[in-house]
Amino acid sequence: MVYNHGYFQCLVEKYSSLSLSSCHGNKITPGFGGIYTVIQTKAKITVDEWGENYIMMGPYYEHNFKTQVEKCEPPNQAIKAAMDSLINNGCQVHFGRWLIEGSPYVILFDIGAAAWNLDRWKGDLWNACSIGLPYHDREANDSLIFGSLVAWFFKELTDQLQDKPNVIAHFHEWQAGTGLVLSRSRKIPLATVFTTHATLLGRYLCAGNADFYNNLDKFNIDQEAGERQIYHRYCLERAAVHCAHVFTTVSQITAVEANHMLHRQPDVVTPNGLNVRKFSAMHEFQNLHSMNKAKIQEFVRGHFYGHLDFNLEKTLFFFIAGRYEFSNKGADLFLESLSRLNYLLRVHKSDVTVVVFFIMPAKTNNFNVESLKGQAVRKQLWDTAQSVKEKFGKRLYESLLRGEIPDMSKILDRDDFTIMKRAIYATQRHSFPPVTTHNMLDDSTDPILSNIRRIGLFNGRNDRVKIVFHPEFLSSTSPLLPMDYEEFVRGCHLGVFPSYYEPWGYTPGECTVMGIPSVTTNLSGFGCFMEEHVSDPSEYGIYIVDRRFRSADESCSQLTQFMFSFCQQSRRQRIIQRNRTERLSDLLDWRYLGRFYMHARHLALSRSFPGKFKMDHLNLAPTQGFRYPRPASVPPSPSASLHSTPHHSDEEDDDTYDEEEEAERDRQNIKAPFTLGAEPEGKSKQPLENGN
């Protein structure tokens, strides 16, 4: 069943990269959020599939258009005519190629230039679905202007095309959903798909520390939305969900949430993917880990000067990164687990030290003076060592040229010893290394700092767990930690993301494709996906904390045990685990996961144009998924019970492990994630599926 050249597929997404302040090309940057990453990374495979028939839509921002878009003329006369119709009526519409991988076409609508229509369009929305928008909600008003322009454009476009070819419009999130509602109410002949990456009310409820998943069926949805003054937004989201021919979410856990919050079961689950680039040499990503780990070690040498009484070769780097949502992202659980991990490492007299980085943006006014001083002291010490080394080398060289064994007591003079002593004294410190790298504006009320004070992890000499809170996203131009996010992730040993509310979770996925083990939960879409497709995720470096069926204390203990077991691994065991983790990247490649979006589009066509497109005539194999078995070299005992202290030495060898053999076995276990087939029998028709 091939539709590749039979219709346009227009992807409408409010938070396209063009509404952001900057673009980092193909690099992974946590500040942009999951929706941005979905739209950007999926563009390549979609352009490969549809070519010039694939067009993105979004709002116009002048600066971003100039720096990220190559302006050009539309390749299709129908699109040009539809744009001209809007332009002739006082709207501003721009067309070009978005300069990312795949170079998709984009149509951008200037919201500000069309704002004079707002009152009239509010009336149209009320007449269409009885939803009113308050004047003070700028975001909702902008979404209405954008949606009205999109619906207007689709009306002009379909009039030009005259049903040849057909048009599919894919809308992401409630901000873009207004265009879907208006298009359907005006009976514009479109096949529509609506994707929610997280329900609007779900975000609000979890941010308020509600016991969300245990009370999904008990919430009074209308009352909860009204109390939070988002009832009009909730109505827009729910209207878009029920008007769409096909409704999708990004994970099974979000599908359960959407069924209760929005009262419609998603038709297709569309997991989020990444563009995975494999190295030609299998060991190359291990080399990148070693190189970037050395950069982090340099930062640690400066930050902990005067207290550097731990062995950096036996130091592990853990991190958590993302938006500063203290409870939703699991920072509360993580901090409590770190306190318990610190206790376990001290009780067992472990020689392993854990340095934990919190990469979460917060309000600051500048770098911490003590942190800057630490890097300056480290650099000064390095320069002193290089100077002395140069003198030492020169005198040693001259002595050997004369055929003499140098007298080591005379090869350095008194001045050299004085310089070295001064350097040593300069590294003395009478205070603990700072737990934060910046001056916080809300130091006394900041959730992370408040909990650090509560658990007492102040980077003392006796603490085996050290904390570094870096309250802004990473940059290679930083004077403290000059690394991009991707470099930093590759240099760490473990990413910890014990989220309570995480519809998908790109951060552990990004760790996986870079071969870095990570901790996630069964309340995140990523965690559920891995549980479904990997028989023993922990042996592949994916540790899944149970936050759905256990109490908070039990979840905390489980996370502590995961981290403690990881600390007990030898260097060789960590290398083997990173190899296994990196092999899971095939699971997250858009080349596989893009098929779920294909299925949603085909299903939308069969529902909106049943006379032209059918899906029930195919006789294909039933749905199949990936399934990675337990690695053959892993003993059958539970991973948590492996390696009681003291752990195995780094010199041990595991005769049962063969990297090439195990990798080939895993490659053979990769199956197509699903097969296009008929709709399940007995499936009830969705709202408006027979009309246009």
Side-chain angles (χ1 to χ4, degrees):
M1 184 176 185
V2 179
Y3 300 121
N4 289 23
H5 305 291
Y7 62 92
F8 292 106
Q9 193 246 341
C10 298
L11 185 65
V12 182
E13 209 282 311
K14 172 67 173 178
Y15 285 129
S16 73
S17 75
L18 303 168
S19 66
L20 294 171
S21 59
S22 61
C23 180
H24 284 217
N26 295 320
K27 293 182 180 178
I28 299 170
T29 310
F32 290 133
I35 301 175
Y36 168 86
T37 308
V38 172
I39 299 301
Q40 186 201 39
T41 58
K42 187 167 63 67
K44 174 66 167 60
I45 61 150
T46 317
V47 169
D48 290 344
E49 182 184 358
W50 305 114
E52 293 186 348
N53 282 2
Y54 176 62
I55 300 170
M56 289 184 172
M57 293 181 174
Y60 171 80
Y61 293 90
E62 183 178 7
H63 172 72
N64 298 316
F65 184 80
K66 289 180 177 179
T67 57
Q68 301 178 35
V69 178
E70 179 187 10
K71 189 173 182 178
C72 63
E73 288 297 315
N76 185 282
Q77 286 302 313
I79 294 176
K80 181 172 175 53
M83 289 176 55
D84 289 342
S85 179
L86 269 69
I87 293 171
N88 293 336
N89 282 277
C91 302
Q92 294 185 19
V93 188
H94 304 265
F95 190 91
R97 283 191 181 274
W98 186 11
L99 300 179
I100 60 171
E101 190 174 6
S103 300
Y105 285 126
V106 290
I107 300 175
L108 304 173
F109 301 94
D110 193 327
I111 295 174
W116 57 278
N117 290 295
L118 179 59
D119 288 340
R120 176 165 62 88
W121 286 339
K122 281 188 176 183
D124 292 344
L125 182 66
W126 177 262
N127 293 331
C129 54
S130 300
I131 298 176
L133 303 183
Y135 73 92
H136 57 77
D137 190 340
R138 174 71 180 273
E139 188 173 12
N141 289 331
D142 283 352
S143 73
L144 173 59
I145 298 171
F146 178 61
S148 299
L149 290 169
V150 167
W152 186 357
F153 173 83
F154 279 140
K155 178 66 169 67
E156 298 292 339
L157 178 63
T158 52
D159 287 348
Q160 292 287 332
L161 293 173
Q162 293 296 318
D163 206 29
K164 292 181 181 179
N166 297 110
V167 179
I168 294 180
H170 192 152
F171 300 79
H172 289 252
E173 287 298 303
W174 70 270
Q175 292 93 336
T178 309
L180 190 157
V181 174
L182 293 173
S183 297
R184 295 286 279 148
S185 68
R186 296 168 187 173
K187 301 189 183 304
I188 299 174
L190 297 171
T192 56
V193 181
F194 182 78
T195 296
T196 180
H197 297 256
T199 68
L200 182 67
L201 191 54
R203 289 186 187 275
Y204 275 82
L205 288 169
C206 288
N209 294 321
D211 187 5
F212 184 64
Y213 292 99
N214 289 326
N215 294 286
L216 273 176
D217 57 343
K218 300 180 180 65
F219 288 115
N220 183 329
I221 306 301
D222 293 328
Q223 178 183 337
E224 297 288 350
E227 289 177 352
R228 288 159 177 79
Q229 300 182 24
I230 57 167
Y231 188 68
H232 56 287
R233 296 185 178 195
Y234 165 73
C235 289
L236 286 175
E237 180 181 41
R238 185 166 168 181
V241 165
H242 286 270
C243 285
H245 292 106
V246 171
F247 171 45
T248 78
T249 61
V250 297
S251 63
Q252 291 292 349
I253 192 72
T254 314
V256 174
E257 172 189 343
N259 192 31
H260 286 88
M261 296 287 109
L262 301 171
H263 303 291
R264 180 175 175 182
Q265 182 68 33
D267 302 292
V268 183
V269 172
T270 52
N272 293 338
L274 288 164
N275 290 326
V276 177
R277 293 178 178 82
K278 292 284 189 178
F279 294 107
S280 55
M282 187 179 301
H283 60 272
E284 181 60 26
F285 78 95
Q286 297 278 11
N287 293 340
L288 289 173
H289 167 73
S290 179
M291 290 166 48
N292 290 299
K293 181 179 70 172
K295 295 181 182 180
I296 299 176
Q297 287 175 336
E298 281 300 291
F299 166 81
V300 169
R301 288 187 177 99
H303 192 80
F304 291 92
Y305 83 92
H307 287 255
L308 203 64
D309 52 358
F310 50 91
N311 185 354
L312 279 176
E313 292 305 313
K314 294 186 177 180
T315 298
L316 303 179
F317 301 131
F318 295 179
F319 80 99
I320 182 173
R323 290 187 300 274
Y324 197 167
E325 298 175 7
F326 184 68
S327 298
N328 281 359
K329 296 299 182 183
D332 51 352
L333 187 76
F334 188 25
L335 281 165
E336 180 60 35
S337 298
L338 290 176
S339 176
R340 300 183 184 187
L341 175 65
N342 185 53
Y343 173 78
L344 286 176
L345 292 174
R346 292 174 63 178
V347 165
H348 288 84
K349 301 186 185 305
S350 174
D351 58 356
V352 173
T353 301
V354 178
V355 177
V356 183
F357 292 88
F358 285 76
I359 313 295
M360 290 180 160
K363 294 179 180 179
T364 65
N365 58 19
N366 213 329
F367 292 108
N368 187 308
V369 173
E370 192 65 22
S371 297
L372 289 171
K373 180 184 176 183
Q375 299 308 314
V377 168
R378 176 193 62 79
K379 188 176 185 305
Q380 184 182 34
L381 195 62
W382 172 259
D383 291 341
T384 300
Q386 291 299 106
S387 174
V388 173
K389 183 180 76 171
E390 187 175 332
K391 289 183 180 179
F392 181 93
K394 185 177 180 180
R395 292 168 185 168
L396 177 63
Y397 170 68
E398 291 173 347
S399 178
L400 293 177
L401 277 179
R402 294 192 299 268
E404 302 173 358
I405 298 297
D407 184 351
M408 301 307 292
S409 63
K410 297 179 180 179
I411 201 166
L412 292 178
D413 56 29
R414 183 186 298 272
D415 289 341
D416 295 326
F417 283 103
T418 301
I419 291 173
M420 289 189 290
K421 288 178 181 178
R422 286 174 58 186
I424 292 173
Y425 290 154
T427 63
Q428 292 182 352
R429 182 185 237 164
H430 303 293
S431 61
F432 289 147
V435 295
T436 179
T437 57
H438 292 60
N439 294 323
M440 303 290 293
L441 290 181
D442 302 317
D443 184 290
S444 60
T445 58
D446 182 81
I448 289 179
L449 295 182
S450 297
N451 276 269
I452 289 174
R453 297 184 189 105
R454 178 182 62 81
I455 61 180
L457 283 180
F458 298 120
N459 295 337
R461 291 186 181 276
N462 294 326
D463 290 327
R464 298 272 52 84
V465 174
K466 319 283 186 179
I467 292 180
V468 179
F469 179 23
H470 190 279
E472 67 176 28
F473 289 127
L474 298 171
S475 169
S476 58
T477 60
S478 170
L480 283 183
L481 188 55
M483 300 179 74
D484 286 330
Y485 179 69
E486 181 176 348
E487 295 174 329
F488 176 77
V489 172
R490 288 191 182 277
C492 288
H493 296 89
L494 182 71
V496 185
F497 314 102
S499 304
Y500 182 76
Y501 187 75
E502 192 73 83
W504 176 250
Y506 257 120
T507 40
E510 290 160 353
C511 287
T512 301
V513 301
M514 288 186 272
I516 303 301
S518 62
V519 176
T520 183
T521 73
N522 59 355
L523 290 181
S524 74
F526 175 83
C528 294
F529 182 81
M530 285 299 173
E531 279 188 323
E532 180 182 357
H533 298 302
V534 182
S535 60
D536 191 349
S538 63
E539 295 304 337
Y540 283 91
I542 309 295
Y543 300 93
I544 301 175
V545 176
D546 185 355
R547 295 202 66 178
R548 189 172 185 185
F549 304 110
R550 295 193 183 194
S551 67
D553 182 68
E554 291 173 327
S555 299
C556 185
S557 297
Q558 186 182 23
L559 175 57
T560 305
Q561 185 59 50
F562 281 153
M563 293 190 294
F564 184 61
S565 297
F566 188 87
C567 292
Q568 291 178 300
Q569 290 182 353
S570 67
R571 184 189 299 271
R572 173 173 168 77
Q573 288 167 335
R574 291 198 301 271
I575 291 173
I576 292 173
Q577 189 176 60
R578 283 197 294 273
N579 285 334
R580 291 174 180 157
T581 302
E582 195 270 343
R583 287 203 300 274
L584 291 184
S585 60
D586 287 331
L587 282 172
L588 305 174
D589 198 327
W590 275 124
R591 288 175 296 175
Y592 299 108
L593 300 184
R595 303 180 192 183
F596 290 102
Y597 279 88
M598 291 172 54
H599 179 54
R601 293 191 288 262
H602 294 169
L603 184 58
L605 280 174
S606 68
R607 288 180 175 178
S608 55
F609 306 107
K612 296 178 63 176
F613 302 99
K614 301 282 186 185
M615 294 193 69
D616 55 2
H617 70 281
L618 295 178
N619 185 22
L620 299 177
T623 297
Q624 289 183 322
F626 301 108
R627 191 64 183 175
Y628 275 74
R630 185 181 179 88
S633 62
V634 177
S637 57
S639 59
S641 65
L642 295 178
H643 322 312
S644 59
T645 215
H647 60 71
H648 302 307
S649 68
D650 287 353
E651 289 74 24
E652 69 177 351
D653 195 6
D654 186 352
D655 294 332
T656 64
Y657 178 74
D658 186 319
E659 169 64 25
E660 291 293 338
E661 179 182 339
E662 192 170 286
E664 180 59 30
R665 189 180 299 113
D666 279 345
R667 282 191 289 269
Q668 292 172 358
N669 280 295
I670 298 176
K671 300 175 182 178
F674 86 99
T675 307
L676 293 179
E679 288 189 62
E681 293 184 9
K683 183 177 178 63
S684 60
K685 292 182 181 296
Q686 297 300 332
L688 300 176
E689 82 176 62
N690 291 326
N692 291 325

